Amino acid sequence: MDYSSCSQLLVLAILVLFSLAQNIINAASNGVFNVIDFGAIADGIRDNSKAFENAWREACYWNTYSTVLVPPGKYLVTSVVFKGPCKAPISFQLQGLILAPPGLSKLADKESWITFESLRSFTLTGGGTFHGQGRTAWPENQCHKNSNCQLPIVILATLSYLFIYYIYSIRFNKLNDSTITGVQSVDSKFFHINILGCYNLKLNKINISAPDDSPNTDGIHIGRSNGIEISNSIIATGDDCVSLGDGSQNVLVSDVSCGPGHGISVGSLGKYKKEEDVVGLTVINCTFTGTSNGVRIKTWPDSEDGKAFNFTFEDLFMNNVENPIVIDQEYCPHNQCNIKVPSRVKISNVRFRNIRGTSLTKEAVRIVCSKEIPCQNVEIGDINLVYNGIDDKGPAISSCSNVKPTLVGKQIPATCV
């Protein structure tokens, strides 16, 4: 290459750098930080993690309200943490599609694919999509069939607790007074959304989807958080639509369509030492379609001590649900626990009200409480669940043990009698 060609390339490189710098300066003038201006390329092939990180860093340092903008297009991102605290309220406007790397290898040492952490007055919006490319990872996951499976998991030890969990698609850690609205999560490799250590977080108009046979693809999992609201959302996945782990408090789930999936669950609780109590859950005006469970509270037998109380399940419609109403204190997947030793998690103040529809199993209501610590203050009111299966004839039935519920209004099937 002659001197003239080298000079031309150098000039071109300088012009490109100048153009990028000018774009960043222009963005700073209005508080909108477009990832394209930081080098992102929307081809679905090249990794844009650095461009996203750089756009976030500049926006986070901005002294007034700022926005990270992901315009329409397909952006491959290997893994990124959007971390605060920031100098002012910040929003992430996702208009395009963020694509996870295929398979599991590039996330094997990660806690999650996308993380938003340590933020106050944060907003995630825009109508865009997080796509986990789960179909490239699900064949490697046999943990729903074999408890001795080997998969990339994260083990986080503290002085008092041991967390073991799969890689999450999207994590919201330590968000306060924040809002997530109008975004989609499609085909996560494992859990779609995990909420940990958050306070006053609202999720509205969320659309979560994965096939009904996709393993461990829980929709929204909540742990050690207070004041979480999930509303006006559609969750169709291969595991729990919404699940509450230990330390969840004051959770509201309203106007949610669940199915396919495993329903809305509390637990499973009692497996680990020093789990925090689960206090306050309201599930209201929700629809369940073709799910393997409706609403469920589950604890391990031979468990650690714990408490779960103040739950209301009200105005729910079950459309061909296998197990519409469940309290199971003998939860023992893979039969690898001592079911002869009762659970030591105390369940109390639980209300099932105005739950109607069809059950695919004859046992539409199943309440199995601990022999050692029976359930207390369980109210069942105005239940109308009709058996719609094909294996047996006759009406729906209920089964109850170690509980004396208060019955209000009509009960179809007759419950705990």
Side-chain angles (χ1 to χ4, degrees), residues 161-180:
Y161 198 76
L162 178 69
F163 299 89
I164 302 177
Y165 47 80
Y166 300 119
I167 301 163
Y168 298 108
S169 194
I170 307 165
R171 282 179 68 106
F172 299 121
N173 294 346
K174 302 177 184 178
L175 303 189
N176 291 341
D177 304 321
S178 297
T179 301
I180 316 299

Side-chain angles (χ1 to χ4, degrees), residues 338-384:
N338 189 355
I339 199 168
K340 295 181 180 180
V341 179
S343 174
R344 292 188 294 275
V345 177
K346 180 181 179 180
I347 295 175
S348 61
N349 299 341
V350 182
R351 297 171 179 84
F352 300 100
R353 297 173 175 168
N354 191 28
I355 300 176
R356 62 204 184 281
T358 53
S359 172
L360 286 183
T361 56
K362 287 203 70 174
E363 194 176 64
V365 179
R366 182 172 184 265
I367 301 179
V368 178
C369 296
S370 169
K371 296 178 182 178
E372 183 173 321
I373 310 174
C375 299
Q376 296 182 355
N377 294 336
V378 176
E379 177 186 306
I380 302 175
D382 292 315
I383 306 300
N384 188 351

Side-chain angles (χ1 to χ4, degrees), residues 133-150:
Q133 294 213 76
R135 295 175 192 275
T136 64
W138 299 331
E140 301 179 48
N141 182 359
Q142 298 298 312
C143 291
H144 58 301
K145 300 177 182 178
N146 175 18
S147 62
N148 295 316
C149 64
Q150 297 295 321

Side-chain angles (χ1 to χ4, degrees), residues 223-417:
R224 303 202 172 190
S225 298
N226 193 332
I228 309 302
E229 296 183 11
I230 303 168
S231 61
N232 302 304
S233 296
I234 299 172
I235 304 175
T237 187
D239 213 296
D240 290 335
C241 292
V242 179
S243 59
L244 274 65
D246 79 294
S248 300
Q249 298 183 45
N250 303 314
V251 176
L252 172 63
V253 181
S254 64
D255 300 286
V256 167
S257 172
C258 170
H262 295 181
I264 295 177
S265 297
V266 177
S268 54
L269 302 176
K271 187 174 184 178
Y272 301 108
K273 294 183 180 294
K274 298 186 178 180
E275 290 186 1
E276 296 180 6
D277 296 344
V278 178
V279 184
L281 164 66
T282 298
V283 179
I284 188 167
N285 197 33
C286 295
T287 298
F288 300 77
T289 301
T291 53
S292 58
N293 301 284
V295 289
R296 177 171 58 156
I297 303 170
K298 51 184 178 175
T299 74
W300 293 82
D302 194 18
S303 71
E304 301 295 329
D305 293 341
K307 295 179 182 178
F309 56 96
N310 292 354
F311 303 143
T312 296
F313 305 98
E314 186 170 8
D315 295 335
L316 308 179
F317 182 74
M318 305 287 171
N319 180 18
N320 288 343
V321 171
E322 291 184 18
N323 302 286
I325 297 174
V326 177
I327 296 179
D328 183 6
Q329 294 208 258
E330 296 179 352
Y331 177 74
C332 186
H334 309 298
N335 295 315
Q336 294 192 356
C337 48
N338 189 355
I339 199 168
K340 295 181 180 180
V341 179
S343 174
R344 292 188 294 275
V345 177
K346 180 181 179 180
I347 295 175
S348 61
N349 299 341
V350 182
R351 297 171 179 84
F352 300 100
R353 297 173 175 168
N354 191 28
I355 300 176
R356 62 204 184 281
T358 53
S359 172
L360 286 183
T361 56
K362 287 203 70 174
E363 194 176 64
V365 179
R366 182 172 184 265
I367 301 179
V368 178
C369 296
S370 169
K371 296 178 182 178
E372 183 173 321
I373 310 174
C375 299
Q376 296 182 355
N377 294 336
V378 176
E379 177 186 306
I380 302 175
D382 292 315
I383 306 300
N384 188 351
L385 294 168
V386 177
Y387 174 57
N388 195 35
I390 59 175
D391 295 334
D392 297 301
K393 295 181 180 180
I397 61 174
S398 69
S399 66
C400 303
S401 59
N402 307 307
V403 61
K404 295 181 180 180
T406 299
L407 303 179
V408 179
K410 294 183 178 180
Q411 310 297 324
I412 303 174
T415 303
C416 298
V417 295

Side-chain angles (χ1 to χ4, degrees), residues 78-145:
T78 297
S79 180
V80 64
V81 177
F82 300 110
K83 190 171 184 178
C86 297
K87 289 187 175 182
I90 186 171
S91 70
F92 191 97
Q93 189 169 17
L94 175 60
Q95 298 176 355
L97 182 147
I98 301 178
L99 192 66
L104 294 172
S105 60
K106 291 186 178 181
L107 294 172
D109 61 343
K110 308 293 184 183
E111 293 184 13
S112 60
W113 170 41
I114 304 290
T115 302
F116 296 91
E117 183 172 328
S118 300
L119 298 167
R120 182 180 294 275
S121 300
F122 166 71
T123 301
L124 170 60
T125 187
T129 300
F130 297 94
H131 199 299
Q133 294 213 76
R135 295 175 192 275
T136 64
W138 299 331
E140 301 179 48
N141 182 359
Q142 298 298 312
C143 291
H144 58 301
K145 300 177 182 178

